[in-house]
Amino acid sequence: DSYLMAAERGETVGSMMRAGRGEEERAEDRPRRSHESLIATAMLLLGEQAKADKIALLAMLLQEEHKEKELALKDNERELALKDKELEIQLVMKEKEMVINNKELEMQLAINNAVNNKELEMQLAINNAVNNKELEMQLVIRDKDMAHAIQMNKFKRQLSYVTRRYLLEKLFFEVFSLVDSQDLLAQQALAKLSTSQRKRFKPKSMSMTELNRLLLANDDLRIAAWKYMGLPQDLRLPHFDESPELLYGILSEAMHSSNGAYVYISDQAPAVEAEFFKNLARVFRKELETYNQDLAEQGIQEEVVEARRTAATAAPVADASA
């Protein structure tokens, strides 16, 4: 029993045998056991000791395995900690890199915007300069065109009297020629005139104003003359209230005759007068052209102002010479 108890406490066989011998030496009074009993006991003890050693070895191996696992776990934990630290450092570095990249991108965008804005400003300045130059040229051209138009309309206005007077004289000469015609309708109309009117029915005896009034008052004579010349029967003869100067004086073809191809009339002329000269121009093969009355008057006013300016400038020079 003592050997078994000692074995359970982990004592070795030798120590137990020494303890047993000690007990046998101290207990001399105990009966001796037989040799076989001792051998059997020893074998039993040795078997138990072997089991205990195996258990102890297994426990030691388990403990070492446990320690190795703990070490491996600690190593894994340290490795994970290192990886976490490295990952954290990488994240920090990545954030810094992103901040730098964003900063560089902002700077690049700012530079690009500045360059683009500068280029845009330059382009706008160039475009404005070109547009202003083109506008100036257009204004100059317009002013030149306007000045040219003013001069042209002024000249057409000045020619208007001569060309219209020519058509009226041409018309009245044709009316006077009815006397020598064989046209029955014309002769019937002339026969209805008074003796005084028949005697004076020739260019140098009857003024244009008188003939105009006669045609206005005598529809038979007017219709016969219009038909003879190929004018519309219902064509009205103007009173020329707006331009009475056309009827002044006796016919003077040598003075007023015009070989020009155009007849000029104001765009503000009465409708009756415009229609009348339109038909006369057709019959006598002339081109009727209207002129701008406002521009013509502006040209005349400019001419008057320029004449006054020239006179005012010349006066001091004349005084100084005196």
Side-chain angles (χ1 to χ4, degrees), residues 64 67 93-94 99 142 148 156 194 199-200 203 207 212 239 242 281:
E64 290 179 356
K67 288 181 179 180
M93 294 297 293
K94 197 68 175 179
V99 171
R142 188 193 68 179
H148 178 72
K156 288 178 180 179
S194 66
K199 288 182 178 180
R200 296 177 57 248
S207 69
N212 184 67
H239 288 268
E242 298 295 329

Side-chain angles (χ1 to χ4, degrees), residues 18-212:
R18 286 193 299 272
R21 284 195 301 270
E23 289 181 359
E24 289 175 356
E25 290 175 356
R26 285 189 302 269
E28 293 180 353
D29 57 342
R30 291 179 182 176
R32 298 277 183 181
R33 294 181 179 179
S34 62
H35 184 67
E36 291 83 1
S37 178
L38 289 173
I39 292 173
T41 300
M43 292 300 294
L44 180 61
L45 291 174
L46 287 173
E48 293 297 332
Q49 181 63 37
K51 290 180 181 180
D53 290 341
K54 289 181 180 180
I55 292 172
L57 179 60
L58 181 59
M60 183 180 64
L61 292 175
L62 290 174
Q63 187 175 9
E64 290 179 356
E65 183 180 359
H66 180 68
K67 288 181 179 180
E68 289 177 358
K69 289 182 177 180
E70 287 183 349
L71 292 174
L73 183 59
K74 289 181 179 180
D75 290 339
N76 289 337
E77 290 177 352
R78 283 195 297 272
E79 186 177 354
L80 290 175
L82 289 174
K83 289 182 178 180
D84 290 341
K85 192 66 176 179
E86 290 177 357
L87 181 60
E88 184 178 351
I89 294 172
Q90 290 177 359
L91 290 175
V92 172
M93 294 297 293
K94 197 68 175 179
E95 290 177 356
K96 290 182 178 179
E97 184 178 355
M98 290 178 64
V99 171
I100 294 173
N101 291 337
N102 290 337
K103 195 67 176 180
E104 291 178 352
L105 181 59
E106 290 177 0
M107 292 177 63
Q108 188 63 44
L109 289 174
I111 293 172
N112 292 340
N113 289 335
V115 171
N116 292 336
N117 290 337
K118 193 66 178 179
E119 290 179 352
L120 182 60
E121 290 176 1
M122 293 178 64
Q123 189 62 45
L124 289 175
I126 293 172
N127 291 341
N128 289 334
V130 171
N131 292 335
N132 291 336
K133 193 66 177 179
E134 290 179 353
L135 181 60
E136 290 177 2
M137 293 179 66
Q138 290 176 359
L139 291 175
V140 170
I141 294 173
R142 188 193 68 179
D143 292 341
K144 289 183 178 179
D145 291 343
M146 180 60 71
H148 178 72
I150 290 173
Q151 291 299 315
M152 291 299 296
N153 283 277
K154 182 186 74 173
F155 293 143
K156 288 178 180 179
R157 183 181 184 277
Q158 293 171 348
L159 291 172
S160 175
Y161 169 78
V162 176
T163 55
R164 287 183 296 144
R165 170 80 183 202
Y166 166 74
L167 284 185
L168 275 179
E169 289 186 348
K170 192 76 173 172
L171 170 69
F172 290 159
F173 270 114
E174 291 292 329
V175 174
F176 284 133
S177 69
L178 292 176
V179 175
D180 301 324
S181 71
Q182 300 298 321
D183 186 80
L184 179 60
L185 187 62
Q187 293 302 322
Q188 291 175 352
L190 290 172
K192 294 179 182 179
L193 296 177
S194 66
T195 304
S196 174
Q197 288 175 334
R198 285 199 302 271
K199 288 182 178 180
R200 296 177 57 248
F201 198 78
K202 50 187 175 181
K204 293 185 179 180
S205 298
M206 184 176 290
S207 69
M208 294 181 67
T209 301
E210 289 177 307
L211 182 55
N212 184 67

Side-chain angles (χ1 to χ4, degrees), residues 167-168 171-172 175 212 215-240 265 270-284 288:
L167 284 185
L168 275 179
L171 170 69
F172 290 159
V175 174
N212 184 67
L215 291 172
L216 287 171
N218 193 323
D219 288 337
D220 292 337
L221 179 62
R222 181 184 58 79
I223 292 172
W226 278 194
K227 184 178 180 182
Y228 179 73
M229 287 182 286
L231 292 171
Q233 297 291 305
D234 58 349
L235 180 65
R236 295 173 58 188
L237 179 65
H239 288 268
F240 295 109
I265 188 171
V272 173
E273 186 174 337
E275 184 66 19
F276 177 73
F277 280 106
K278 176 183 176 182
N279 281 275
L280 289 189
R282 175 182 58 81
V283 168
F284 296 117
L288 184 68

Side-chain angles (χ1 to χ4, degrees), residues 244-270:
E245 70 277 2
L246 291 175
L247 301 177
Y248 286 167
I250 302 298
L251 290 174
S252 53
E253 186 177 16
M255 181 183 296
H256 298 293
S257 179
S258 172
N259 293 322
Y262 291 90
V263 177
Y264 301 103
I265 188 171
S266 171
D267 60 353
Q268 298 178 15

